[in-house]
Amino acid sequence: SSRFATTALVGMRRIELVEVLKGSASTLYGSDAAGGVINIITRRSDEGQISTSLGYTGGNYGLDKYNLRHAGSKDGFFWSLNAQKRSSGDFKDGDGNEVPEGIKENAYALQFGRKFEDGVSYVQLDYSQYDVDYMRHEDLGNKNKTPKYGAKDNNRLGLTYQQKITDNLSNKLSLFRNMNNLKDGFKVPSSSRLMDLETLGVNNQLTYRLGA
């Protein structure tokens, strides 16, 4: 979509694995995943391990990025805190043409939970916040690139409880609330796009495994 700043991509430091599964087998991840699913698995510390890392990245076109990650696991409890602050400015494409684009973003993610002795059951609370002010060009194929300004403010709160019933049977209950706010092109009223969306959801999944 042209209504997207290519710089508005959140860092991947807290991602352990991304699974892409096509076909009806993807319904293992939920009743709405009949055709396929992209499953993003976040990092989780090993039992008894606690770690903290700080990072900074600087580069061309005004790039400044700061990262903080703290995660741990002890006595069955696990937690993680991730924070990122990033800004960048105009850049040049492969032909050397200057492309007007800029971003100032903040991203936070908090996870806290407890895993039970059976190794399958757990309860987990997740909260994430992403806000960004950006400036983008209207059309990549247009040499007269008109800058547009926008802002996003998104957050998500979720609670998950998975219970092991038998060795092959488990139940997973998820409650979540998503809030998405978008203002795009707001300095040009004739082409502005506004969206305020709130989603409340409940999902329950009963899984029975026939074998290994």
Side-chain angles (χ1 to χ4, degrees):
S1 171
S2 64
R3 302 176 187 92
F4 174 72
T6 56
T7 47
L9 298 173
V10 180
M12 301 287 285
R13 293 175 60 87
R14 66 186 296 258
I15 304 301
E16 177 73 27
L17 181 68
V18 178
E19 294 179 329
V20 180
L21 185 63
K22 297 184 291 184
S24 58
S26 61
T27 54
L28 288 172
Y29 290 87
S31 59
D32 294 329
V37 68
I38 298 176
N39 184 37
I40 300 176
I41 301 172
T42 55
R43 296 181 185 274
R44 186 175 294 176
S45 299
D46 295 331
E47 177 65 25
Q49 182 183 39
I50 299 175
S51 62
T52 302
S53 62
L54 291 169
Y56 170 76
T57 303
N60 293 340
Y61 313 117
L63 174 63
D64 281 302
K65 183 168 68 173
Y66 303 87
N67 294 97
L68 166 66
R69 182 176 188 271
H70 173 74
S73 179
K74 187 175 182 181
D75 299 330
F77 291 95
F78 59 88
W79 65 89
S80 69
L81 170 64
N82 294 268
Q84 176 174 289
K85 184 179 182 66
R86 181 167 63 115
S87 63
S88 64
D90 299 346
F91 64 93
K92 292 184 179 180
D93 62 19
D95 296 324
N97 300 313
E98 186 169 312
V99 178
E101 188 162 288
I103 189 171
K104 292 183 178 180
E105 73 167 17
N106 298 287
Y108 311 95
L110 175 66
Q111 181 184 89
F112 181 78
R114 188 176 192 278
K115 198 168 186 177
F116 299 104
E117 292 182 359
D118 58 32
V120 176
S121 302
Y122 69 90
V123 60
Q124 178 176 310
L125 178 68
D126 292 276
Y127 178 77
S128 61
Q129 171 78 37
Y130 176 73
D131 61 81
V132 58
D133 294 318
Y134 63 87
M135 184 267 287
R136 62 171 179 82
H137 47 82
E138 177 64 20
D139 189 352
L140 282 170
N142 185 358
K143 291 185 178 180
N144 184 20
K145 298 179 175 64
T146 303
K148 292 293 180 68
Y149 298 85
K152 296 179 182 179
D153 185 0
N154 302 335
N155 64 74
R156 184 182 191 277
L157 178 64
L159 178 64
T160 302
Y161 174 62
Q162 178 166 298
Q163 180 186 12
K164 177 182 176 180
I165 301 173
T166 68
D167 288 341
N168 294 328
L169 183 65
S170 63
N171 189 72
K172 186 176 182 179
L173 174 65
S174 301
L175 311 173
F176 62 88
R177 187 217 64 196
N178 297 332
M179 296 188 68
N180 301 279
N181 302 286
L182 169 68
K183 295 190 298 181
D184 187 82
F186 60 86
K187 290 190 176 182
V188 184
S190 61
S191 63
S192 64
R193 293 170 177 85
L194 308 177
M195 181 184 73
D196 292 321
L197 177 65
E198 181 177 4
T199 304
L200 301 174
V202 179
N203 182 67
N204 193 76
Q205 178 178 320
L206 187 67
T207 302
Y208 182 76
R209 298 189 182 275
L210 297 176

